[in-house]
Amino acid sequence: MKNNIIEYCLKKKGGTKEHPFGPTSLVIKVADKMFALIFEETGKVVRLNLKCDPVIAENLREQHESVRPGFHMNKKHWNSIMIDGSLPESDVFDMIDHSYDMVVKKLPKSLRESIVEMN
């Protein structure tokens, strides 16, 4: 599922990847703003950090044991999703869409427009 998540994130308009925190952490950005952080500790489950509206973030945490406050992030605005098979891939993709949309809507208008025009 990890590879599907990475591929899905990179298909987002303007999506780029980098490893600013070392080889085990993959940051995916749009217009130089992070919308996903994927990391895997040796022998442990993959963790996916995503930006989220605070009200929705709380609801997701209450509904799913695998959704927790953002690890090493602002816990009000970020969730960590344990990719352990307990959530359907489609739900994870919906959360990625929400994170991406939250980041894009905060970008300056000129950047938003240039992203929309990308193929």
Side-chain angles (χ1 to χ4, degrees):
M1 188 176 195
K2 176 184 170 185
N3 290 335
N4 291 350
I5 289 169
I6 293 168
E7 185 179 314
Y8 187 81
C9 288
L10 291 174
K11 285 183 179 177
K12 295 292 196 187
K13 289 184 178 187
T16 60
K17 66 179 181 175
E18 55 186 66
H19 294 272
F21 308 119
T24 60
S25 300
L26 174 64
V27 172
I28 303 182
K29 296 181 173 185
V30 59
D32 212 32
K33 299 289 183 184
M34 180 170 54
F35 72 91
L37 169 61
I38 303 162
F39 53 100
E40 180 176 19
E41 296 174 39
T42 306
K44 296 195 177 185
V45 102
V46 173
R47 188 176 299 158
L48 171 65
N49 284 5
L50 297 170
K51 192 159 190 149
C52 192
D53 175 91
V55 173
I56 295 170
E58 281 297 323
N59 288 334
L60 289 169
R61 294 171 197 167
E62 290 173 9
Q63 294 172 20
H64 305 286
E65 190 174 315
S66 60
V67 179
R68 301 176 185 158
F71 182 71
H72 287 301
M73 307 294 274
N74 179 322
K75 294 177 182 357
K76 181 177 179 183
H77 296 280
W78 288 83
N79 276 338
S80 287
I81 297 94
M82 305 301 126
I83 306 302
D84 58 7
S86 65
L87 286 173
E89 191 172 67
S90 60
D91 287 355
V92 175
F93 288 171
D94 287 344
M95 290 183 223
I96 291 168
D97 292 343
H98 178 69
S99 180
Y100 176 84
D101 292 344
M102 295 262 315
V103 171
V104 168
K105 79 178 184 182
K106 293 287 188 181
L107 296 173
K109 184 178 179 182
S110 61
L111 272 177
R112 283 195 316 267
E113 289 172 350
S114 68
I115 290 168
V116 168
E117 293 172 4
M118 290 179 171
N119 289 330

